[in-house]
Amino acid sequence: MMASLMADQPEADLTMDPASLYREDVFTDRKLGTIRRLVPVTADGQPDESRTALFIGQAQIVTPGGLLPLSFEIEANSLPEAVAQFGAAAKVAIEDTVRELQELRRQAASSLVIPDTGATAQILGPSGMPAGAPGKIRLR
């Protein structure tokens, strides 16, 4: 939804688009989550009737690593409709997030670390013993 600014990208275009401005209204039940209503406005802040409002739901899920914030679009034409659709949209967002976390976990578990053969040869000699070792066991 929102572009992230990266400190290592000084060439990034930091110009806001005056034809894509929204006013943000925030609604919450202080229990389950928050709904942000993005009302389109013109460059001078007046309501832009040519575009429709957007509704964005926000909630948090508890993971072993801590709270994970979720943000998801709610298909609605009014605030009452967005409130009614919040639960279903949140459920889809949670399922998608859990699926993504499982995929990331699977990828992390299946990644193999293969050492560079040059580095291995420097550590181990041709006999498979540490380089420079005469082949005898040393006790210290």
Side-chain angles (χ1 to χ4, degrees):
M1 170 67 60
M2 199 167 37
S4 298
L5 300 176
M6 302 288 283
D8 62 347
Q9 294 179 340
E11 72 282 349
D13 182 12
L14 301 179
T15 305
M16 288 187 72
D17 180 0
S20 298
L21 296 177
Y22 288 85
R23 181 185 75 232
E24 184 174 335
D25 299 325
V26 179
F27 305 91
T28 183
D29 65 355
R30 297 180 50 193
K31 296 180 210 168
L32 185 60
T34 300
I35 295 175
R36 294 172 40 224
R37 177 174 58 192
L38 301 176
V39 179
V41 295
T42 61
D44 63 354
Q46 298 302 311
D48 183 350
E49 303 296 330
S50 69
R51 298 182 289 149
T52 59
L54 304 173
F55 293 93
I56 308 297
Q58 295 180 314
Q60 295 177 341
I61 58 173
V62 179
T63 69
L67 293 176
L68 180 65
L70 295 178
S71 185
F72 47 92
E73 193 161 340
I74 302 172
E75 297 293 329
N77 296 315
S78 66
L79 180 59
E81 192 177 328
V83 170
Q85 295 294 327
F86 183 92
K91 184 177 179 181
V92 170
I94 290 169
E95 290 169 352
D96 290 346
T97 301
V98 167
R99 225 180 346 270
E100 287 179 40
L101 289 172
Q102 289 171 339
E103 177 62 20
L104 289 171
R105 189 178 305 136
R106 186 195 64 73
Q107 287 176 3
S110 69
S111 64
L112 299 175
V113 177
I114 301 172
D116 179 24
T117 55
T120 305
Q122 291 175 1
I123 297 170
L124 301 177
S127 65
M129 298 293 290
K136 296 181 182 177
I137 298 174
R138 273 198 224 168
L139 300 175
R140 292 183 182 197

mmCIF file of all heavy atoms in Angstrom, residues 16-45:
data_model
loop_
_atom_site.group_PDB
_atom_site.id
_atom_site.type_symbol
_atom_site.label_atom_id
_atom_site.label_comp_id
_atom_site.label_asym_id
_atom_site.label_seq_id
_atom_site.Cartn_x
_atom_site.Cartn_y
_atom_site.Cartn_z
ATOM 1 N N MET A 16 5.360 13.492 -3.912
ATOM 2 C CA MET A 16 4.008 12.966 -3.726
ATOM 3 C C MET A 16 3.169 13.297 -4.953
ATOM 4 O O MET A 16 3.360 14.331 -5.588
ATOM 5 C CB MET A 16 3.360 13.558 -2.473
ATOM 6 C CG MET A 16 3.942 13.028 -1.188
ATOM 7 S SD MET A 16 3.024 13.582 0.262
ATOM 8 C CE MET A 16 1.540 12.630 0.110
ATOM 9 N N ASP A 17 2.230 12.415 -5.258
ATOM 10 C CA ASP A 17 1.340 12.593 -6.401
ATOM 11 C C ASP A 17 0.099 13.349 -5.926
ATOM 12 O O ASP A 17 -0.734 12.782 -5.211
ATOM 13 C CB ASP A 17 0.959 11.224 -6.966
ATOM 14 C CG ASP A 17 0.040 11.318 -8.165
ATOM 15 O OD1 ASP A 17 -0.316 12.446 -8.576
ATOM 16 O OD2 ASP A 17 -0.330 10.251 -8.687
ATOM 17 N N PRO A 18 -0.077 14.612 -6.310
ATOM 18 C CA PRO A 18 -1.221 15.392 -5.837
ATOM 19 C C PRO A 18 -2.561 14.867 -6.352
ATOM 20 O O PRO A 18 -3.610 15.191 -5.793
ATOM 21 C CB PRO A 18 -0.938 16.810 -6.346
ATOM 22 C CG PRO A 18 0.027 16.646 -7.458
ATOM 23 C CD PRO A 18 0.799 15.391 -7.183
ATOM 24 N N ALA A 19 -2.562 14.031 -7.381
ATOM 25 C CA ALA A 19 -3.808 13.464 -7.902
ATOM 26 C C ALA A 19 -4.198 12.183 -7.172
ATOM 27 O O ALA A 19 -5.244 11.605 -7.459
ATOM 28 C CB ALA A 19 -3.651 13.188 -9.395
ATOM 29 N N SER A 20 -3.384 11.733 -6.210
ATOM 30 C CA SER A 20 -3.651 10.480 -5.498
ATOM 31 C C SER A 20 -3.700 10.685 -3.989
ATOM 32 O O SER A 20 -3.312 9.809 -3.227
ATOM 33 C CB SER A 20 -2.569 9.446 -5.834
ATOM 34 O OG SER A 20 -2.566 9.153 -7.198
ATOM 35 N N LEU A 21 -4.184 11.825 -3.555
ATOM 36 C CA LEU A 21 -4.221 12.116 -2.123
ATOM 37 C C LEU A 21 -5.479 11.558 -1.465
ATOM 38 O O LEU A 21 -6.540 11.492 -2.078
ATOM 39 C CB LEU A 21 -4.150 13.631 -1.895
ATOM 40 C CG LEU A 21 -2.863 14.313 -2.355
ATOM 41 C CD1 LEU A 21 -2.977 15.828 -2.136
ATOM 42 C CD2 LEU A 21 -1.659 13.749 -1.635
ATOM 43 N N TYR A 22 -5.332 11.154 -0.198
ATOM 44 C CA TYR A 22 -6.446 10.645 0.606
ATOM 45 C C TYR A 22 -6.397 11.275 1.987
ATOM 46 O O TYR A 22 -5.315 11.568 2.505
ATOM 47 C CB TYR A 22 -6.337 9.120 0.781
ATOM 48 C CG TYR A 22 -6.637 8.333 -0.466
ATOM 49 C CD1 TYR A 22 -5.655 8.088 -1.404
ATOM 50 C CD2 TYR A 22 -7.908 7.834 -0.697
ATOM 51 C CE1 TYR A 22 -5.923 7.364 -2.551
ATOM 52 C CE2 TYR A 22 -8.186 7.106 -1.845
ATOM 53 C CZ TYR A 22 -7.194 6.873 -2.761
ATOM 54 O OH TYR A 22 -7.477 6.158 -3.892
ATOM 55 N N ARG A 23 -7.553 11.474 2.564
ATOM 56 C CA ARG A 23 -7.677 11.852 3.975
ATOM 57 C C ARG A 23 -7.937 10.553 4.725
ATOM 58 O O ARG A 23 -8.679 9.690 4.263
ATOM 59 C CB ARG A 23 -8.839 12.822 4.182
ATOM 60 C CG ARG A 23 -8.987 13.255 5.644
ATOM 61 C CD ARG A 23 -10.219 14.121 5.877
ATOM 62 N NE ARG A 23 -11.405 13.253 5.845
ATOM 63 C CZ ARG A 23 -12.474 13.458 5.094
ATOM 64 N NH1 ARG A 23 -12.539 14.487 4.272
ATOM 65 N NH2 ARG A 23 -13.504 12.639 5.147
ATOM 66 N N GLU A 24 -7.325 10.388 5.873
ATOM 67 C CA GLU A 24 -7.449 9.145 6.616
ATOM 68 C C GLU A 24 -8.304 9.344 7.868
ATOM 69 O O GLU A 24 -8.041 10.231 8.675
ATOM 70 C CB GLU A 24 -6.047 8.657 7.006
ATOM 71 C CG GLU A 24 -6.034 7.341 7.704
ATOM 72 C CD GLU A 24 -4.611 6.843 7.940
ATOM 73 O OE1 GLU A 24 -3.692 7.236 7.201
ATOM 74 O OE2 GLU A 24 -4.443 6.061 8.875
ATOM 75 N N ASP A 25 -9.333 8.516 8.001
ATOM 76 C CA ASP A 25 -10.155 8.480 9.207
ATOM 77 C C ASP A 25 -9.919 7.119 9.859
ATOM 78 O O ASP A 25 -9.873 6.097 9.171
ATOM 79 C CB ASP A 25 -11.646 8.610 8.865
ATOM 80 C CG ASP A 25 -11.973 9.930 8.171
ATOM 81 O OD1 ASP A 25 -11.350 10.946 8.509
ATOM 82 O OD2 ASP A 25 -12.856 9.926 7.290
ATOM 83 N N VAL A 26 -9.756 7.093 11.177
ATOM 84 C CA VAL A 26 -9.459 5.844 11.880
ATOM 85 C C VAL A 26 -10.612 5.514 12.827
ATOM 86 O O VAL A 26 -11.077 6.359 13.590
ATOM 87 C CB VAL A 26 -8.137 5.964 12.674
ATOM 88 C CG1 VAL A 26 -7.837 4.675 13.422
ATOM 89 C CG2 VAL A 26 -6.991 6.330 11.740
ATOM 90 N N PHE A 27 -11.051 4.225 12.773
ATOM 91 C CA PHE A 27 -12.128 3.729 13.620
ATOM 92 C C PHE A 27 -11.635 2.466 14.323
ATOM 93 O O PHE A 27 -10.987 1.629 13.696
ATOM 94 C CB PHE A 27 -13.368 3.387 12.776
ATOM 95 C CG PHE A 27 -13.839 4.533 11.925
ATOM 96 C CD1 PHE A 27 -13.364 4.689 10.620
ATOM 97 C CD2 PHE A 27 -14.742 5.462 12.418
ATOM 98 C CE1 PHE A 27 -13.793 5.734 9.829
ATOM 99 C CE2 PHE A 27 -15.175 6.523 11.632
ATOM 100 C CZ PHE A 27 -14.696 6.660 10.339
ATOM 101 N N THR A 28 -11.938 2.334 15.605
ATOM 102 C CA THR A 28 -11.529 1.133 16.334
ATOM 103 C C THR A 28 -12.566 0.767 17.384
ATOM 104 O O THR A 28 -13.266 1.639 17.908
ATOM 105 C CB THR A 28 -10.151 1.314 16.998
ATOM 106 O OG1 THR A 28 -9.781 0.087 17.641
ATOM 107 C CG2 THR A 28 -10.163 2.430 18.022
ATOM 108 N N ASP A 29 -12.650 -0.531 17.667
ATOM 109 C CA ASP A 29 -13.496 -0.981 18.769
ATOM 110 C C ASP A 29 -12.649 -1.186 20.028
ATOM 111 O O ASP A 29 -13.153 -1.594 21.057
ATOM 112 C CB ASP A 29 -14.235 -2.278 18.406
ATOM 113 C CG ASP A 29 -13.309 -3.457 18.196
ATOM 114 O OD1 ASP A 29 -12.076 -3.273 18.232
ATOM 115 O OD2 ASP A 29 -13.817 -4.567 17.986
ATOM 116 N N ARG A 30 -11.355 -0.918 19.947
ATOM 117 C CA ARG A 30 -10.383 -1.036 21.034
ATOM 118 C C ARG A 30 -10.231 -2.470 21.535
ATOM 119 O O ARG A 30 -9.688 -2.694 22.594
ATOM 120 C CB ARG A 30 -10.723 -0.092 22.180
ATOM 121 C CG ARG A 30 -10.653 1.355 21.763
ATOM 122 C CD ARG A 30 -10.988 2.301 22.858
ATOM 123 N NE ARG A 30 -10.222 1.965 24.060
ATOM 124 C CZ ARG A 30 -10.488 2.473 25.245
ATOM 125 N NH1 ARG A 30 -11.460 3.332 25.390
ATOM 126 N NH2 ARG A 30 -9.773 2.124 26.285
ATOM 127 N N LYS A 31 -10.722 -3.446 20.775
ATOM 128 C CA LYS A 31 -10.573 -4.853 21.145
ATOM 129 C C LYS A 31 -9.915 -5.640 20.026
ATOM 130 O O LYS A 31 -8.851 -6.204 20.192
ATOM 131 C CB LYS A 31 -11.929 -5.488 21.456
ATOM 132 C CG LYS A 31 -12.646 -4.929 22.644
ATOM 133 C CD LYS A 31 -13.951 -5.661 22.812
ATOM 134 C CE LYS A 31 -14.980 -4.754 23.431
ATOM 135 N NZ LYS A 31 -16.314 -5.298 23.357
ATOM 136 N N LEU A 32 -10.600 -5.685 18.898
ATOM 137 C CA LEU A 32 -10.178 -6.567 17.816
ATOM 138 C C LEU A 32 -9.232 -5.914 16.823
ATOM 139 O O LEU A 32 -8.259 -6.516 16.397
ATOM 140 C CB LEU A 32 -11.410 -7.104 17.085
ATOM 141 C CG LEU A 32 -11.156 -8.130 15.995
ATOM 142 C CD1 LEU A 32 -10.458 -9.357 16.568
ATOM 143 C CD2 LEU A 32 -12.452 -8.530 15.340
ATOM 144 N N GLY A 33 -9.517 -4.679 16.460
ATOM 145 C CA GLY A 33 -8.678 -4.070 15.441
ATOM 146 C C GLY A 33 -9.089 -2.663 15.093
ATOM 147 O O GLY A 33 -9.843 -2.016 15.818
ATOM 148 N N THR A 34 -8.591 -2.231 13.939
ATOM 149 C CA THR A 34 -8.791 -0.866 13.468
ATOM 150 C C THR A 34 -9.189 -0.903 12.000
ATOM 151 O O THR A 34 -8.728 -1.753 11.249
ATOM 152 C CB THR A 34 -7.472 -0.076 13.617
ATOM 153 O OG1 THR A 34 -7.089 -0.066 14.991
ATOM 154 C CG2 THR A 34 -7.606 1.350 13.137
ATOM 155 N N ILE A 35 -10.058 0.020 11.628
ATOM 156 C CA ILE A 35 -10.394 0.224 10.218
ATOM 157 C C ILE A 35 -9.978 1.643 9.861
ATOM 158 O O ILE A 35 -10.342 2.605 10.547
ATOM 159 C CB ILE A 35 -11.901 0.040 9.952
ATOM 160 C CG1 ILE A 35 -12.313 -1.406 10.218
ATOM 161 C CG2 ILE A 35 -12.244 0.435 8.507
ATOM 162 C CD1 ILE A 35 -13.811 -1.653 10.089
ATOM 163 N N ARG A 36 -9.185 1.747 8.811
ATOM 164 C CA ARG A 36 -8.803 3.046 8.281
ATOM 165 C C ARG A 36 -9.625 3.295 7.030
ATOM 166 O O ARG A 36 -9.636 2.488 6.120
ATOM 167 C CB ARG A 36 -7.308 3.063 7.943
ATOM 168 C CG ARG A 36 -6.430 2.944 9.159
ATOM 169 C CD ARG A 36 -4.940 2.771 8.841
ATOM 170 N NE ARG A 36 -4.479 3.582 7.754
ATOM 171 C CZ ARG A 36 -3.674 3.145 6.786
ATOM 172 N NH1 ARG A 36 -3.263 1.906 6.764
ATOM 173 N NH2 ARG A 36 -3.286 3.952 5.821
ATOM 174 N N ARG A 37 -10.331 4.415 7.018
ATOM 175 C CA ARG A 37 -11.071 4.818 5.819
ATOM 176 C C ARG A 37 -10.246 5.884 5.119
ATOM 177 O O ARG A 37 -9.930 6.923 5.700
ATOM 178 C CB ARG A 37 -12.451 5.369 6.176
ATOM 179 C CG ARG A 37 -13.214 5.859 4.946
ATOM 180 C CD ARG A 37 -14.627 6.280 5.267
ATOM 181 N NE ARG A 37 -14.630 7.342 6.269
ATOM 182 C CZ ARG A 37 -15.721 7.757 6.911
ATOM 183 N NH1 ARG A 37 -16.893 7.215 6.659
ATOM 184 N NH2 ARG A 37 -15.637 8.729 7.803
ATOM 185 N N LEU A 38 -9.864 5.609 3.886
ATOM 186 C CA LEU A 38 -9.090 6.552 3.097
ATOM 187 C C LEU A 38 -10.042 7.234 2.128
ATOM 188 O O LEU A 38 -10.554 6.619 1.188
ATOM 189 C CB LEU A 38 -7.974 5.829 2.347
ATOM 190 C CG LEU A 38 -6.981 5.064 3.228
ATOM 191 C CD1 LEU A 38 -5.979 4.311 2.374
ATOM 192 C CD2 LEU A 38 -6.265 6.002 4.168
ATOM 193 N N VAL A 39 -10.315 8.511 2.389
ATOM 194 C CA VAL A 39 -11.253 9.295 1.596
ATOM 195 C C VAL A 39 -10.460 10.078 0.556
ATOM 196 O O VAL A 39 -9.571 10.857 0.917
ATOM 197 C CB VAL A 39 -12.062 10.259 2.504
ATOM 198 C CG1 VAL A 39 -13.021 11.093 1.683
ATOM 199 C CG2 VAL A 39 -12.777 9.492 3.603
ATOM 200 N N PRO A 40 -10.740 9.877 -0.725
ATOM 201 C CA PRO A 40 -9.992 10.604 -1.749
ATOM 202 C C PRO A 40 -10.271 12.105 -1.676
ATOM 203 O O PRO A 40 -11.407 12.528 -1.456
ATOM 204 C CB PRO A 40 -10.507 10.010 -3.059
ATOM 205 C CG PRO A 40 -11.765 9.313 -2.742
ATOM 206 C CD PRO A 40 -11.765 8.998 -1.286
ATOM 207 N N VAL A 41 -9.203 12.879 -1.822
ATOM 208 C CA VAL A 41 -9.318 14.337 -1.809
ATOM 209 C C VAL A 41 -8.525 14.916 -2.976
ATOM 210 O O VAL A 41 -7.626 14.280 -3.513
ATOM 211 C CB VAL A 41 -8.814 14.955 -0.479
ATOM 212 C CG1 VAL A 41 -9.682 14.529 0.688
ATOM 213 C CG2 VAL A 41 -7.352 14.615 -0.224
ATOM 214 N N THR A 42 -8.878 16.135 -3.332
ATOM 215 C CA THR A 42 -8.140 16.853 -4.370
ATOM 216 C C THR A 42 -6.875 17.444 -3.761
ATOM 217 O O THR A 42 -6.663 17.371 -2.546
ATOM 218 C CB THR A 42 -9.011 17.973 -4.965
ATOM 219 O OG1 THR A 42 -9.350 18.886 -3.910
ATOM 220 C CG2 THR A 42 -10.273 17.422 -5.608
ATOM 221 N N ALA A 43 -6.053 18.057 -4.585
ATOM 222 C CA ALA A 43 -4.796 18.641 -4.112
ATOM 223 C C ALA A 43 -5.012 19.708 -3.045
ATOM 224 O O ALA A 43 -4.134 19.940 -2.216
ATOM 225 C CB ALA A 43 -4.011 19.213 -5.283
ATOM 226 N N ASP A 44 -6.201 20.348 -3.036
ATOM 227 C CA ASP A 44 -6.462 21.369 -2.011
ATOM 228 C C ASP A 44 -7.212 20.814 -0.801
ATOM 229 O O ASP A 44 -7.641 21.570 0.072
ATOM 230 C CB ASP A 44 -7.198 22.566 -2.616
ATOM 231 C CG ASP A 44 -8.574 22.204 -3.150
ATOM 232 O OD1 ASP A 44 -8.920 21.006 -3.156
ATOM 233 O OD2 ASP A 44 -9.300 23.127 -3.562
ATOM 234 N N GLY A 45 -7.378 19.487 -0.725
ATOM 235 C CA GLY A 45 -7.986 18.857 0.446
ATOM 236 C C GLY A 45 -9.489 18.690 0.396
ATOM 237 O O GLY A 45 -10.090 18.198 1.351
#
